[in-house]
Amino acid sequence: MKKLISSIVSALSIFALSFSLTATAKSAEFFTIGTGGPTGVYFQTGNAICKMLHKSAISADHGRKGGAAKAYRCTAPSTGGSNYNIGQIKEGEFQFGVAQSDWQFHAVNGSSKWEGKKFPELRAVFSVHNEPFQIWASKKAKATKFKDLKGKVVNIGNPGSGQRGTMETLMDAMKVNNSYFKSVTELTSSEQVKALCDGKIDAFGYSVGFPNGAMEQAATCAAKAMPINLTGKEVQKLIDGAAYYAKATIPAGTYTGQKKDVTTFGVKATVVTSANVSEELVYLVTKAVFENFDDFKKQHPAFSFLQKKDMIKDGLSAPLHPGAIKYYKEAGLL
């Protein structure tokens, strides 16, 4: 009889422990931030946001009715980039994503690649760093401007990436297509530098903040690559025709061997979400970043010039999410 009672007590204890662990697991809500290639600043941005949220204790201290704390945990995996992230947010697979300001505009307005696929529920959270669009060419390619790429092997980026979209927009402005080049590749941002350094491609296009470790690798490997100037009436027409584009300069000395300023055009990196994501979650993510702002800026050199007042307006074409608005008003930023 004692053995039976002991067995029952043990079983009940195991059940109670199991229930407790299950209840704890269910109290944490997991969400995803879409980023970009593992060598790019988007990947660093998503993971920096997660780091701020996890260290801040905001989520752990945030209670629901009844006193039960609800913890949020996030992951920021490497993805195909801007358009992929927006598409996954639209499908409800991701809750947040990092995207170029031009593709944020096109998605919410149903233009360019988003024609017929308009996403009016897209919402802005904040913008991050400047992203000059850069075409890097090997020393052997002897390219200093776009027209020098004729007959070269060029990586135009993987489908769904912001770099691919911007490269195609630039090509349209230059009135050329893939046949202008000897051949094109569709490598991801994490694959293209190695291909350039190995001599498999002559150049690649990339929208990325600076300084960037992968670009430094391109500058110092056997390719001795450098970014080329993207100027002229075609580029100026692009800038004049879209509020999300602006002239950009990569200062001399940013990369090893870069003796002159490089002039190009660029966009903003932005953090976006959906109107269907809860106000509570967006509020907490925004608060985690802005209340740990100095620490956030240390997560990557591209963040060092960030200003809070610019982040809540620059490059934002979609309406601000109510959760972000709630924090900005609370913090006196709106």
Side-chain angles (χ1 to χ4, degrees), residues 196-213:
L196 187 71
C197 290
D198 290 345
K200 293 179 180 178
I201 61 174
D202 297 310
F204 62 75
Y206 195 21
S207 295
V208 68
F210 63 86
N212 178 270

Side-chain angles (χ1 to χ4, degrees), residues 275-287:
N276 297 320
V277 174
S278 74
E279 181 177 316
E280 175 187 63
L281 178 55
V282 177
Y283 170 84
L284 292 177
V285 167
T286 307
K287 186 172 185 178

Side-chain angles (χ1 to χ4, degrees), residues 2 22 25 32 63 68-69 71 74 83 89 91 112 118 123 125 134 144 168 180 183 192 199 215 226 256 260 273 276:
K2 288 182 179 180
T22 302
T32 302
C74 76
N83 285 318
I89 292 171
E91 296 299 319
S112 186
K118 187 175 180 180
R123 294 292 179 267
V125 184
Q134 303 158 48
T144 60
E168 290 179 340
Y180 186 76
S183 63
Q192 61 190 6
M215 300 304 98
M226 278 291 120
T256 300
K260 297 180 180 179
T273 186
N276 297 320

Side-chain angles (χ1 to χ4, degrees), residues 234-243 245-248 264-266:
E234 297 91 350
V235 173
Q236 191 58 50
K237 189 175 180 180
L238 268 182
I239 294 170
D240 293 341
Y245 286 142
K247 187 176 287 187
T264 180
F265 68 101

